Amino acid sequence: LLARRIEAAALEGGATVTATAACVQVAPDAPPAPSMRALRFALDSFIKDGPAAAKSSFDSVLQKTVAQAGAFTSMVEDRRFSLVYQPVGDLDDWSLHHCEVRARCEKGQSPAETIRMAEELEIIEDFDFAVLERAIRLLKSGVSKDLNLAVNVSARSLMHDDFMSALARVTKAETALKDRLLFEITESTALDNLETANARIQTLRNHGFAVCLDDFGSGGASLAYLKALAVDIVKID
C-alpha cells in the first residue's frame, strides 16, 4: 500500500518511479521504542547512502545498526574510550581559558558518526555521564590546579530526566569544582523545548557552574537558542 502511494505521488509530480517495499523482522522480545529508533536511524543511513544502498538488504542495514548500538553500550559500560583536550583561548590576552574535553571511541570509529548514532538512538546519556565522571576525576587528581575543563552535554541528555537528576547530584556534591568545571551544550541535535532546556541550564548555573552554547551558527536553530537560553559563553562555529 505504501509503495503504491509513493508511486502515485510521484506521478502527480510528473515523475515515474518504482517503489519497493521491504519487510523487516524484529525479535519478538525486542523493546518497541529502541527498535523503532534503530529502524529510523537505519532508514536515515539507507537514504544517505543513495542508490548503491538499494543493492543491499534493508534488513542487513537494520541489523548493523542494532549491532552498532550494542557495541556502543558495551564500550560505555567498559569505559573503552579515551579523552583528548582541546585548548580554548581568551582573545583578550591569548591565555588559556579552558580545555574542552573531547571523547575518542575505539580505533577505527568516527567520533562524530558514533555520537550522532548514539543521540539518534537515545543512548547518549550514559556516555555523557561517563565522560563527566572521568573529567571530574582528572580535576580532583591534582594534575594542575590551573586546569579548567568543559564537558559536553548533548541536547538529548539535557532533556533526559534521569540524566539531569544524576547531574544535579554531581554538581551539588562537587561545588568545590564550580570554578574549574564548565558545561557545553552541543547543538548536534535540536532542542525540542527551549523553555525546559533553559530551566535545566539555569539549574547548573545556580549551582555555580558556567554553561557554554557550543558551535553557535552550525545549526538552523542557533538564533532561537541565543534568544531563549541564558548562558555564560557562546562559542561561535
Side-chain angles (χ1 to χ4, degrees), residues 119-131:
E119 288 177 334
E120 287 296 318
L121 299 184
E122 298 185 19
I123 54 176
I124 190 65
E125 300 86 9
D126 288 342
F127 183 62
D128 279 353
F129 202 79
V131 172

Side-chain angles (χ1 to χ4, degrees), residues 87-98:
V88 179
D90 188 326
L91 293 181
D92 288 334
D93 58 8
W94 297 98
S95 62
L96 177 65
H97 187 272
H98 68 271

Side-chain angles (χ1 to χ4, degrees), residues 9-188:
L11 283 174
E12 290 179 4
T16 301
V17 300
T18 300
T20 302
C23 180
V24 178
Q25 299 296 324
V26 178
D29 58 345
S35 297
M36 289 305 298
R37 287 194 291 268
L39 181 62
R40 182 187 64 197
F41 183 79
L43 181 59
D44 288 342
S45 301
F46 196 77
I47 294 171
K48 182 183 68 175
D49 290 340
K55 297 178 181 179
S56 65
S57 166
F58 185 82
D59 181 64
S60 67
V61 176
L62 177 60
Q63 297 305 320
K64 179 181 177 181
T65 300
V66 172
Q68 288 175 329
F72 179 85
T73 300
S74 176
M75 178 201 70
V76 174
E77 290 176 349
D78 297 338
R79 301 301 192 262
R80 296 194 311 273
F81 60 86
S82 59
L83 300 181
V84 295
Y85 306 90
Q86 183 180 58
V88 179
D90 188 326
L91 293 181
D92 288 334
D93 58 8
W94 297 98
S95 62
L96 177 65
H97 187 272
H98 68 271
C99 288
E100 180 183 357
V101 178
R102 309 296 294 269
R104 293 293 179 262
C105 304
E106 295 178 288
K107 185 177 180 180
Q109 295 182 358
S110 164
E113 286 298 313
T114 301
I115 296 301
R116 187 179 75 85
M117 180 270 295
E119 288 177 334
E120 287 296 318
L121 299 184
E122 298 185 19
I123 54 176
I124 190 65
E125 300 86 9
D126 288 342
F127 183 62
D128 279 353
F129 202 79
V131 172
L132 171 63
E133 286 180 331
R134 187 168 290 181
I136 289 176
R137 192 178 308 124
L138 178 61
L139 288 173
K140 296 173 71 173
S141 68
V143 170
S144 173
K145 293 183 179 180
D146 297 325
L147 178 65
N148 300 327
L149 296 179
V151 177
N152 288 322
V153 174
S154 164
R156 297 274 190 190
S157 297
L158 184 68
M159 302 306 291
H160 196 278
D161 292 341
D162 289 343
F163 176 85
M164 289 306 300
S165 296
L167 185 57
R169 289 194 295 271
V170 169
T171 53
K172 288 180 180 179
E174 303 294 350
T175 53
L177 297 178
K178 62 183 181 181
D179 295 327
R180 302 178 60 203
L181 180 63
L182 305 82
F183 293 95
E184 295 194 4
I185 309 302
T186 61
E187 200 181 339
S188 51

Side-chain angles (χ1 to χ4, degrees), residues 203-236:
T203 297
L204 293 174
R205 298 179 72 214
N206 290 337
H207 290 163
F209 295 87
V211 177
C212 312
L213 182 59
D214 195 14
D215 289 337
F216 176 78
S218 63
S222 290
L223 290 176
Y225 285 8
L226 193 61
K227 181 178 179 180
L229 307 177
V231 296
D232 301 283
I233 300 171
V234 174
K235 293 176 65 179
I236 300 175

